Amino acid sequence: MRPQCLILTVALALGIPHAASSQNRLQSSDLLRLRAVTAVQLSPDGTRVAYVVDNNDGSGRPYGQISVMTLADGKTVRFGGDKESSGDPQWSPDGQWIAYRGRVDGTSGLAIAKPDGTGARFLAAMTGTNAPLPGIGTSVAWSPDGKRIAFVSSVPGPETADANGDPMVITRYLYKPDAAEGMTHFNDNRRLHLFVVDVASARVDQLTDGNHYEHSIDWSPNGQELLFLTNRDADDDEFFNYDLYVLKLADKSVRRLSATESNEYHAQWSPDGKMIVFQATKRGLTDRETTMEDTHVWVMNADGTNRRDVGASIDNRQGVPEWTSDSSAVMFTVQERGNVRLYRVPVNAAGGGKPEVLVRERGTVGSFSAAKNTIACALATPADQAELYVGGKKMTDLNASLLRDKQIAEVEAFTFVSNDNKFEVEAYLTKPLGLTADVASGSSRTKYPLIVNIHGGPHGQQGPAFNFKNQVYAARGWATLMVNYRGSTGYGQAFADAVFADQNGNEGQDVLYGVSAALRRYPWIDRDRLGVEGTSYGGQLSTWLPTQTKMFKAAIPTAAITNIISYNYMTYYNQYEAMEWGTYPHQGNLMDTLLQRSALRHVANAHTPTLLMHGENDNDVPIAEAEQFYIALKDVGTEAVMVRYPREGHGIRESKHVVDQIDRSIKWYERHFPPKPQS
């Protein structure tokens, strides 16, 4: 049999449309060729830009590599060898050097190199920690005179030896590592501290010590002080509360700038040294992993006075701020109805001036940088992963060889009214490739499956930006529905708050109403071939909804919470339920409520074939959540399979595992969807 005939025969045997077997549609293995721009840093004179490209072609997780582009001619130089990781580029004040994390002559740590990659020199070892410390900002900062570099590194804490002994002795409340770590089950107990290295001599001086974590540094414009974040509370494991501090380099004395019950993140001096900008919340309980309250951008005087919310007029979640060069305004990203846009807000008025949108393209703005009236950013569009844009012009096309001849499915937004008539809810539908006008109009009997892809958080959002898995589904002739249910960000604080004390409640109904709205508006969707999936909170809803409805033919929860009570006491961030419900589980009757809102309690009603996927070392949602539900489904007699991924934390990150996850998902749906109706 000729090869092309064999391919067609196999495709038809798998139920794949002929067109979908062609080379112009995305396949799961294409992930290994996809690249994306992450960190972006313009040189001080605005003539060059350093950026990091994430690659998926390694043996494990995606790895980053620094490149430097000369904007005048587009010429680019990459740091390091083939598949050699590097990141966190920071320009020296004169633009003649770049400090970065990387490897030089076989030694990894803090290094410097010229912008063309030459003259690379190792300066100091930099070690991190697996402790869960969300919102950590800059780890490397040049002094204004370019002679020294401050950096953040870790040292052992007082519990380190006992916690790693035989037997292991656990004394900390926060004894588990960060969600994404994926290699161990325990906090390494190392503490982050501030260091400074002399560039000429490579002499390193430790600036802070003790049992707290110091991070997120910025050097004052006068060169005399370092701004940083830390939590100096006695119970810093149990109460997540960063505050702003300043260290004086001359004598290492420390002064405190903020003393709030809420959190501050990502602080930065204004170029004139008179003000400090930062992200912050106002509520007294903010969680380590996700927060119901939208972060806003704040400004205060350098001495900590006149603190004001400059983002107050923007009722949406705001990202990491950066000053304009004249200290008159700050720039930051804003989540808006599934998109992430770049804003500029003047700071000379009380509460901030009138906001201006700088980048409003459909998609997601990631890292950005400004210099000499030039703005560079990483922007993910509906047609591509994040690429480098400078002054609104696309400067990289990393995936051209892969995507040039590929069809990219259309993503369409629509809204509907919630079940309780309280909210307008937005959803995004990725349409299947091959959808013709007669089918779209309903004049044809051809039907397409629909996969409901639920986002995590719950305080997150989905939107039109390129989604690889959805595009692979579309290539097979499947639609994907993403519902920004109540609790999602990008729709105002009241909408984010609407999930309070109502997990697996009306937000789940929002998803179901979104499916019903899609079935009404798109007659080509096959109501007999509906699947549901999601990760983390999306996984939680993917186990909960099949206990409430029989509409789904197959479910694929990843990293799913199935028993809210056991989850609360096994996760690394034990304040999450207190923040989401307003009290701790042991208080009042909340324990009873949590059980009633857990999928495990209602597993007798779950008859949807379920493929559970989980990272072996997930410390956010421990794998015991999948184990409980797997056995429960078996007891009920419901078809269930559990797939456990080694070396994975919360969510699946190794590239080969992601490909495997997509392939298994496709096979699971194909196995449980009934035959497609004939035209």
Side-chain angles (χ1 to χ4, degrees):
M1 185 178 291
R2 290 177 296 174
Q4 60 267 36
C5 295
L6 177 60
I7 292 172
L8 175 58
T9 301
V10 171
L12 292 175
L14 292 174
I16 305 171
H18 181 192
S21 66
S22 61
Q23 295 300 308
N24 67 343
R25 298 193 177 193
L26 285 169
Q27 306 174 50
S28 61
S29 59
D30 289 328
L31 174 77
L32 304 179
R33 298 171 58 193
L34 274 179
R35 297 185 290 169
V37 173
T38 54
V40 175
Q41 285 288 323
L42 278 166
S43 62
D45 62 4
T47 63
R48 291 169 294 190
V49 59
Y51 58 100
V52 177
V53 175
D54 268 11
N55 303 271
N56 290 297
D57 61 349
S59 59
R61 299 184 180 190
Y63 62 96
Q65 290 184 308
I66 296 172
S67 289
V68 177
M69 177 185 293
T70 303
L71 298 180
D73 55 16
K75 291 184 178 178
T76 301
V77 175
R78 191 193 72 198
F79 281 24
D82 186 43
K83 297 187 179 182
E84 189 172 273
S85 177
S86 58
D88 199 14
Q90 301 290 332
W91 290 90
S92 63
D94 62 6
Q96 299 303 304
W97 294 91
I98 293 176
Y100 65 100
R101 291 174 181 264
R103 178 181 294 270
V104 178
D105 297 330
T107 304
S108 296
L110 175 62
I112 59 171
K114 294 180 179 179
D116 63 2
T118 63
R121 185 161 65 94
F122 175 81
L123 286 182
M126 288 182 71
T127 55
T129 177
N130 66 2
L133 301 171
I136 289 183
T138 302
S139 297
V140 176
W142 287 86
S143 64
D145 61 8
K147 295 181 179 180
R148 293 175 293 172
I149 299 174
F151 64 96
V152 178
S153 190
S154 68
V155 300
E159 315 89 353
T160 301
D162 285 346
N164 289 279
D166 183 2
M168 301 176 68
V169 180
I170 306 298
T171 57
R172 293 184 64 177
Y173 182 80
L174 195 66
Y175 71 93
K176 291 192 175 184
D178 181 75
E181 198 247 24
M183 302 305 293
T184 66
H185 286 292
F186 300 100
N187 192 326
D188 60 21
N189 297 299
R190 297 179 67 88
R191 302 305 199 275
L192 293 179
H193 290 301
L194 310 185
F195 296 77
V196 65
V197 59
D198 180 79
V199 174
S201 66
R203 183 179 63 83
V204 176
D205 184 19
Q206 183 172 338
L207 302 176
T208 61
D209 56 20
N211 295 335
H212 300 290
Y213 297 86
E214 292 108 8
H215 53 82
S216 306
I217 56 175
D218 191 45
W219 211 302
S220 65
N222 63 13
Q224 297 176 7
E225 296 179 312
L226 279 176
L227 181 65
F228 67 97
L229 292 173
T230 188
N231 180 1
R232 294 290 174 93
D233 292 339
D235 58 347
D236 58 337
D237 271 8
E238 299 185 47
F239 190 65
F240 178 51
N241 180 20
Y242 292 159
D243 276 303
L244 292 163
Y245 289 77
V246 169
L247 180 142
K248 189 175 181 180
L249 274 300
D251 58 9
K252 299 182 184 179
S253 62
V254 172
R255 60 188 173 95
R256 186 171 186 167
L257 292 183
S258 68
T260 64
E261 292 185 0
S262 54
N263 262 294
E264 285 76 33
Y265 309 86
H266 302 285
Q268 185 184 73
W269 297 94
S270 60
D272 62 12
K274 296 179 180 180
M275 293 175 286
I276 293 171
V277 67
F278 52 96
Q279 283 177 293
T281 55
K282 295 186 294 185
R283 298 177 181 176
L285 183 60
T286 302
D287 188 70
R288 290 180 182 274
E289 197 270 349
T290 182
T291 174
M292 193 178 299
E293 181 187 356
D294 288 339
T295 49
H296 276 212
V297 171
W298 294 66
V299 167
M300 66 182 179
N301 295 341
D303 62 2
T305 62
N306 195 22
R307 178 185 174 115
R308 56 203 186 275
D309 180 358
V310 298
S313 63
I314 304 172
D315 183 20
N316 265 324
R317 191 158 299 210
Q318 299 161 21
V320 179
E322 181 172 325
W323 287 97
T324 57
S325 59
D326 61 1
S327 302
S328 68
V330 291
M331 298 172 290
F332 50 90
T333 58
V334 176
Q335 297 183 26
E336 288 185 341
R337 302 184 69 87
N339 298 281
V340 179
R341 298 189 168 106
L342 183 62
Y343 273 71
R344 176 168 53 204
V345 177
V347 299
N348 52 7
K354 183 179 180 180
E356 175 190 3
V357 182
L358 300 177
V359 180
R360 64 169 65 250
E361 273 74 13
R362 196 166 183 249
T364 297
V365 176
S367 174
F368 68 92
S369 178
K372 300 294 183 182
N373 297 317
T374 299
I375 296 175
C377 70
L379 175 65
T381 65
D384 197 356
Q385 302 239 82
E387 299 281 0
L388 174 65
Y389 286 74
V390 179
K393 180 181 178 182
K394 185 177 181 180
M395 302 300 293
T396 60
D397 201 357
L398 302 172
N399 301 309
S401 61
L402 172 62
L403 299 179
R404 182 181 296 115
D405 299 322
K406 301 288 187 181
Q407 296 183 53
I408 302 299
E410 177 188 357
V411 182
E412 180 174 293
F414 68 89
T415 61
F416 59 93
V417 178
S418 63
N419 66 302
D420 53 5
N421 296 313
K422 289 184 177 179
F423 299 102
E424 179 187 77
V425 182
E426 187 165 36
Y428 283 88
L429 182 78
T430 304
K431 296 181 178 180
L433 294 180
L435 185 66
T436 58
D438 62 326
V439 174
S441 68
S443 60
S444 168
R445 291 183 56 222
T446 302
K447 300 286 186 179
Y448 293 87
L450 175 70
I451 310 301
V452 182
N453 184 344
I454 309 175
H455 73 71
H459 310 297
Q461 65 169 7
Q462 291 165 307
F466 187 85
N467 184 302
F468 179 73
K469 191 176 187 182
N470 288 356
Q471 290 293 334
V472 173
Y473 284 166
R476 304 187 70 82
W478 300 354
T480 307
L481 180 69
M482 303 181 294
V483 179
N484 284 330
Y485 51 84
R486 71 190 68 189
S488 299
T489 52
Y491 299 87
Q493 188 61 64
F495 193 81
D497 284 340
V499 76
F500 180 74
D502 192 32
Q503 287 189 16
N504 291 346
N506 280 308
E507 92 286 26
Q509 290 299 311
D510 289 344
V511 175
L512 296 181
Y513 267 57
V515 176
S516 297
L519 290 171
R520 289 194 305 271
R521 299 177 192 207
Y522 304 98
W524 46 265
I525 294 176
D526 188 349
R527 63 177 61 248
D528 293 323
R529 291 189 291 166
L530 302 177
V532 63
E533 64 180 53
T535 299
S536 192
Y537 199 92
Q540 174 177 320
L541 285 175
S542 299
T543 57
W544 171 258
L545 292 178
T547 70
Q548 308 298 304
T549 177
K550 296 180 181 179
M551 70 164 57
F552 300 111
K553 301 301 180 183
I556 308 178
T558 300
I561 301 168
T562 64
N563 181 345
I564 302 177
I565 297 173
S566 61
Y567 157 76
N568 178 80
Y569 296 110
M570 293 189 300
T571 183
Y572 76 88
Y573 58 110
N574 309 87
Q575 300 94 344
Y576 168 72
E577 299 302 344
M579 183 190 71
E580 293 288 331
W581 292 85
T583 185
Y584 283 89
H586 68 272
Q587 296 173 322
N589 296 319
L590 183 57
M591 200 84 74
D592 298 331
T593 301
L594 295 182
L595 180 59
Q596 285 297 323
R597 291 298 181 93
S598 296
L600 188 66
R601 169 63 181 83
H602 305 280
V603 71
N605 299 325
H607 301 294
T608 302
T610 301
L611 175 62
L612 294 154
M613 296 186 175
H614 223 106
E616 281 278 358
N617 292 326
D618 189 341
N619 292 293
D620 185 318
V621 180
I623 198 170
E625 292 297 301
E627 292 170 336
Q628 293 177 77
F629 205 64
Y630 171 73
I631 293 299
L633 289 171
K634 291 286 190 181
D635 288 345
V636 172
T638 300
E639 183 180 359
V641 173
M642 178 170 53
V643 180
R644 306 164 68 102
Y645 288 97
R647 302 178 306 281
E648 295 286 11
H650 192 52
I652 309 304
R653 287 177 170 80
E654 287 191 15
S655 298
K656 66 178 182 180
H657 285 165
V658 176
V659 173
D660 179 86
Q661 183 186 38
I662 295 173
D663 289 340
R664 289 181 188 276
S665 298
I666 291 171
K667 291 177 182 178
W668 189 254
Y669 289 132
E670 288 177 338
R671 176 176 173 179
H672 295 99
F673 285 162
K676 65 179 180 178
Q678 298 300 311
S679 301

